[in-house]
Amino acid sequence: MSLESVLWENDATALAGLVRKGEISPVELVDAAIARAERTQPQINATAEKLYEAARSRARSVDRSLPLAGVPTALKDLGIAMKGVPNHSGSRMPPFVPDYDSVLTQRLLAAGLIPIVTSTTPELGLRLVTESAAFGVTRNPWDTNHITGGSSGGAAALVAAGVVPVAHASDGGGSIRVPAACNGLVGLKTSRGRIPLTPLASEAWYGFVADHAVTRSVRDSALLLDLTHGPDGLAPYAARPPRGSFTAAAARDPGRLRLAVYRQSPLGLEISHETLAALDTAVALAREGGHSVEEIDLPFIGRDFIGDFARTVASAVAGTLAGAAQRTGRPVSGEVERATRVLARYGELLSAGEIYAGLERLQAASRQLFAETARYDAVLMPLIAHPPLKCGAMDPNGMDAFLEDMLDRLRLTRLLRLKPLLGQLLDNSLWFTHWPAIQNVSGQPSIALPVHVTADGLPLGIQAAGRPGDEETLLSLAAQMERLSGWLDRRAPLLRPAPLAGASHNHAEAL
């Protein structure tokens, strides 16, 4: 039997079951994952740091009774700390090397998971494509000429390529859900405060950032959430406790739900026919599951909303570079990419009053969103406006002249005169996707679901956004749609292992 095939065919829940039954050892599993990481790296370029020797050491001593004992995983090179592991944040700036583990890292290790690498991300997680000057282009295992999404693009590529079945990811404006949509994976952005970011941070991007994972299956996402959620003494707030376990929610029938579907672009930009086809597929699956679906509009979620979101992020980027300069004892603006530098300069020019007023408007829009959608159990909407793009299609170097001109103007004038330029930058930056930030602002959970394959053979997922604190309904709905779609039998074609000889160990037989 090929160990690489076992890794390829099974989700994390099934792999842990094989370890508990003694059919495979943690060392064998980790060695298979490392071998596959090495074999696929030239094609997908998804690894930032190799943790191979530490992984093998953990595999030799892991308690096999743990829920996910011996299951290999990856940590994102951004927003999570592991003692002694350089955190580059996808940048050429000097890395931060923590002398502690994040609470989330502690919980992942306590579950028995074994990190084998850190995964690539765009610089500071600012782009929804994983391409950086520091690490190069991360590629999609379904077609390596295409992007893997961002900012958790390395994590998604590793899972889609069968290197690991689950990978840590974070989401401040779609960074879990967009890579999941590009790679045929499940990507749950959790409710605000569901998983603490401590002690690395109390919150990130004014609370917009949430941590969780990209996974092959809904049940893996649910199990991982059971093992990692909950308050921490250093965290300023926490999401409301679930009524039961997330695993139980994913295993039960959702009953008859009342769903809505939102098809418009908040920026009024083009939506491809493939994206609309993916949304239609999701609606058809929901109706097949017995749910009602109603078309809605959200007119108060528009250009002003997305503009306020962009301004708050710009101020956060300015603060991040200021913090990096303080940590290193010198300015770091010359070591970051041009687009990052422009965004930080924009953030520096914003007044504290402008940022506060924008946050107030975003919170008011969130309250209106909750009121307008309260009667629905979930709202289906797109994630990406176009199928996964060709690599380099959103390369900021292609905007050199525009960005340099904008940077010059930012040095010379106040923001009011720059409004047309800033609107153009917003459209250029968010042309590929402009829905995910809604749930980062509101703090509600949202799950990316693989439902569609384009005419070119590329995955294209959609999202279901739930009520604040209600991941359980989303997981129940998502698991039902997963079963109805038959998606779990699909795998990216990259370096597919030889078929298993003899008995199958696929996830359907798992435990």
Side-chain angles (χ1 to χ4, degrees), residues 330-355:
R330 57 181 171 77
V332 296
S333 60
E335 298 170 70
V336 300
E337 297 169 23
R338 183 178 288 104
T340 304
R341 199 160 62 247
V342 170
L343 198 59
R345 182 59 180 145
Y346 178 29
E348 290 169 352
L349 288 176
L350 290 163
S351 70
E354 288 170 314
I355 297 165

Side-chain angles (χ1 to χ4, degrees), residues 127 267 269 303 306-307 310-311 314 338-347 394-396 399-407 410 418-433:
R127 304 176 63 215
L267 289 174
L269 300 178
R303 297 187 69 84
I306 301 298
R311 280 184 284 274
R338 183 178 288 104
T340 304
R341 199 160 62 247
V342 170
L343 198 59
R345 182 59 180 145
Y346 178 29
M394 296 290 283
D395 186 349
M399 298 170 66
D400 275 358
F402 172 70
L403 288 169
E404 289 289 6
D405 179 52
M406 184 173 175
L407 190 59
L410 283 168
L418 284 173
K419 196 167 183 180
L421 268 176
L422 295 172
Q424 185 182 346
L425 181 62
L426 191 69
D427 285 359
N428 288 342
S429 299
L430 299 179
W431 170 84
F432 178 53
T433 176

Side-chain angles (χ1 to χ4, degrees), residues 367-384:
R367 294 192 295 272
Q368 188 173 356
L369 177 65
F370 298 152
E372 293 286 336
T373 60
R375 62 188 180 275
Y376 302 110
D377 295 294
V379 180
L380 304 174
M381 64 179 73
L383 271 168
I384 52 179

Side-chain angles (χ1 to χ4, degrees), residues 89-429:
S89 300
S91 180
R92 294 170 294 184
M93 291 188 298
F96 167 62
V97 184
D99 59 0
Y100 58 85
D101 288 339
S102 289
V103 168
L104 178 54
T105 303
Q106 295 169 12
R107 292 176 181 180
L108 293 170
L109 295 176
L113 286 159
I114 299 180
I116 65 164
V117 296
T118 63
S119 63
T120 52
T121 181
E123 187 169 67
L124 304 185
L126 292 174
R127 304 176 63 215
L128 292 170
V129 295
T130 301
E131 301 172 3
S132 69
F135 291 97
V137 176
T138 297
R139 297 175 179 274
N140 195 317
W142 290 80
D143 183 335
T144 55
N145 291 314
H146 291 260
I147 65 168
T148 188
S151 64
S152 305
L158 290 166
V159 175
V163 176
V164 296
V166 298
H168 161 257
S170 58
D171 192 315
S175 291
I176 288 175
R177 292 161 289 158
V178 169
C182 290
N183 288 272
L185 303 175
V186 176
L188 173 64
K189 186 207 81 69
T190 52
S191 296
R192 183 170 297 146
R194 177 66 70 202
I195 295 174
L197 307 182
T198 46
L200 187 63
S202 296
E203 64 176 20
W205 287 9
Y206 305 92
F208 295 168
V209 174
D211 273 29
H212 186 39
V214 287
T215 66
R216 288 186 186 167
S217 65
V218 174
R219 71 173 183 176
D220 276 0
S221 187
L223 175 59
L224 203 57
L225 191 55
D226 276 327
L227 296 169
T228 56
H229 84 95
D232 175 63
L234 297 180
Y237 49 77
R240 69 165 176 79
R243 295 178 294 275
S245 79
F246 296 111
T247 301
R252 66 172 174 254
D253 187 278
R256 189 173 191 273
L257 302 178
R258 186 175 185 184
L259 307 177
V261 58
Y262 170 62
R263 297 179 181 274
Q264 285 73 41
S265 160
L267 289 174
L269 300 178
E270 175 192 2
I271 306 172
S272 73
H273 73 277
E274 292 277 20
T275 292
L276 296 176
L279 196 56
D280 287 340
T281 299
V283 169
L285 288 169
R287 288 183 170 138
E288 185 180 348
H291 312 300
S292 67
V293 184
E294 179 182 337
E295 301 273 345
I296 63 167
D297 190 12
L298 303 171
F300 50 91
I301 304 292
R303 297 187 69 84
D304 290 343
F305 179 95
I306 301 298
D308 281 333
F309 171 79
R311 280 184 284 274
T312 58
V313 170
S315 70
V317 174
T320 298
L321 294 194
Q326 185 176 30
R327 172 173 61 84
T328 59
R330 57 181 171 77
V332 296
S333 60
E335 298 170 70
V336 300
E337 297 169 23
R338 183 178 288 104
T340 304
R341 199 160 62 247
V342 170
L343 198 59
R345 182 59 180 145
Y346 178 29
E348 290 169 352
L349 288 176
L350 290 163
S351 70
E354 288 170 314
I355 297 165
Y356 183 83
L359 285 167
E360 289 283 288
R361 289 190 295 269
L362 290 172
Q363 291 163 4
S366 296
R367 294 192 295 272
Q368 188 173 356
L369 177 65
F370 298 152
E372 293 286 336
T373 60
R375 62 188 180 275
Y376 302 110
D377 295 294
V379 180
L380 304 174
M381 64 179 73
L383 271 168
I384 52 179
H386 306 274
L389 307 172
K390 288 285 185 73
C391 292
M394 296 290 283
D395 186 349
N397 292 329
M399 298 170 66
D400 275 358
F402 172 70
L403 288 169
E404 289 289 6
D405 179 52
M406 184 173 175
L407 190 59
D408 287 341
R409 293 180 188 227
L410 283 168
R411 294 189 184 104
L412 298 172
T413 188
R414 288 299 297 164
L415 298 176
L416 186 60
R417 299 180 190 176
L418 284 173
K419 196 167 183 180
L421 268 176
L422 295 172
Q424 185 182 346
L425 181 62
L426 191 69
D427 285 359
N428 288 342
S429 299

